[in-house]
Amino acid sequence: MRWLSGLFSWMRRLRWVARRPRALGAPLDVHSVNILLPRPEAMMNDAPSELWLQHLRAELPFAPSGFAEVQPPANVRELTERLGEAFDALGLAVARACQGAALEDGAEPDWFVVLADRVLPLAAWMMGVGAPSAAEMPEGLREFAERARRVPGVGQALRLLGDLQKQLEQAFVQNERLRKQIVEAQAGYFLLLKVQVESRLAPLAGEGGAVSVRFDFPAAGQRVAELVPPPAPGSPTSGVVGRVLVPALTVSLQRGEAPPEVYRRGAHLRAR
């Protein structure tokens, strides 16, 4: 389970990289966006983080994207560069929208497309959303332990084999603890990402307006056909949710007294 240390090493090295805010009306600048990224100088030679990415590449599908980035990053350097480019593209799209870029009726604004198709899938993959957890006990072993509790006489045999049942129970407790740590690490990151994205989108609402960003994770076992919003393109449309690769995204813009503008994109998921 050495790869797990890579996730927490990754989380410890995350920081805000604050680039100077761009004044509205000034020339567009690809470096005018605040981004939440790993510290490149601390990550490039960080073996646990590289181990974490190797684990993700082996275990976690990379969500489809409208930007042809269908292959997961090969290493920390590539991941950092792609995240930076995605956030830069988001900043440029926001700046264009603030300058009055035209939007076709019914079309999603460029900034929302970049956020939904580039930033969010990459951030979710980086945090291991949807990866089979090494803390998850194989189902066969779990079923064996359950049967052992119900069959008369098996308990004595297990004790003769080194109290295997007790060891299994301890393993279950440890696995639950590790799974909780993974979930907490992911939740902490998405909370920071929410704050960061709301800050980045704030100019769209104007003075006195408000921006709200929400990430939703459909629960395993929910019927896919009943999800609101519907699953993202490329996801199954029937069956039940097996695992979520990218959360659903909702962005609400409140400009003055006008009704809020709401943009939604469903979660990328796998069904079972």
Side-chain angles (χ1 to χ4, degrees), residues 13 15-16 50 56 59-60 79 103 134 140-141 153 168 183 200-201 206 218 225 233 245:
R13 287 167 171 79
R15 71 171 183 182
W16 295 97
E50 291 290 358
L56 293 181
E59 300 291 340
L60 182 59
L79 174 58
L103 178 65
L141 188 58
L168 287 174
V183 170
R200 182 63 257 177
L201 300 182
L245 302 181

Side-chain angles (χ1 to χ4, degrees), residues 64-69 85-94 96-97 102-104 106-122 197 201 204 232-233 246-247 249-251 253 262-266 268:
S65 169
F67 290 82
E69 292 177 347
E85 291 168 358
F87 273 101
D88 286 341
L90 177 62
L92 288 171
V94 168
R96 287 194 298 268
L103 178 65
E104 297 181 6
E108 293 177 330
D110 288 346
W111 58 263
F112 183 78
V113 173
V114 172
L115 178 59
D117 284 352
R118 268 183 95 171
V119 174
L120 192 53
L122 200 53
V197 173
L201 300 182
L204 296 171
V246 182
L249 170 67
T250 302
V251 179
L253 299 179
V262 180
Y263 303 96
R264 293 187 176 91
R265 183 72 66 87
H268 289 277

Side-chain angles (χ1 to χ4, degrees), residues 8 24 60 117 145 186 225:
F8 301 118
L24 294 180
L60 182 59
D117 284 352
Q186 292 173 343

Side-chain angles (χ1 to χ4, degrees), residues 20-25 28 32-34 90-100 111 195-213 251-256 261:
R20 186 177 60 184
R22 171 185 169 277
L24 294 180
L28 295 179
S32 62
V33 57
N34 299 326
L90 177 62
L92 288 171
V94 168
R96 287 194 298 268
C98 290
Q99 292 176 344
W111 58 263
V195 173
Q196 171 60 35
V197 173
E198 287 179 345
S199 175
R200 182 63 257 177
L201 300 182
L204 296 171
E207 187 174 353
V211 177
S212 174
V213 175
V251 179
S252 177
L253 299 179
Q254 181 68 57
R255 295 186 175 100
E261 300 175 26

Side-chain angles (χ1 to χ4, degrees), residues 177-254:
R177 185 182 301 116
L178 290 174
R179 181 158 45 241
K180 182 179 180 181
Q181 290 176 337
I182 293 172
V183 170
E184 289 176 347
Q186 292 173 343
Y189 179 82
F190 277 98
L191 178 59
L192 291 175
L193 185 62
K194 165 185 165 64
V195 173
Q196 171 60 35
V197 173
E198 287 179 345
S199 175
R200 182 63 257 177
L201 300 182
L204 296 171
E207 187 174 353
V211 177
S212 174
V213 175
R214 191 175 76 238
F215 305 120
D216 294 314
F217 293 81
Q222 283 187 272
R223 292 180 58 84
V224 173
E226 297 175 355
L227 295 180
V228 179
S235 297
T237 56
S238 62
V240 298
V241 177
R243 54 177 167 159
V244 175
L245 302 181
V246 182
L249 170 67
T250 302
V251 179
S252 177
L253 299 179
Q254 181 68 57

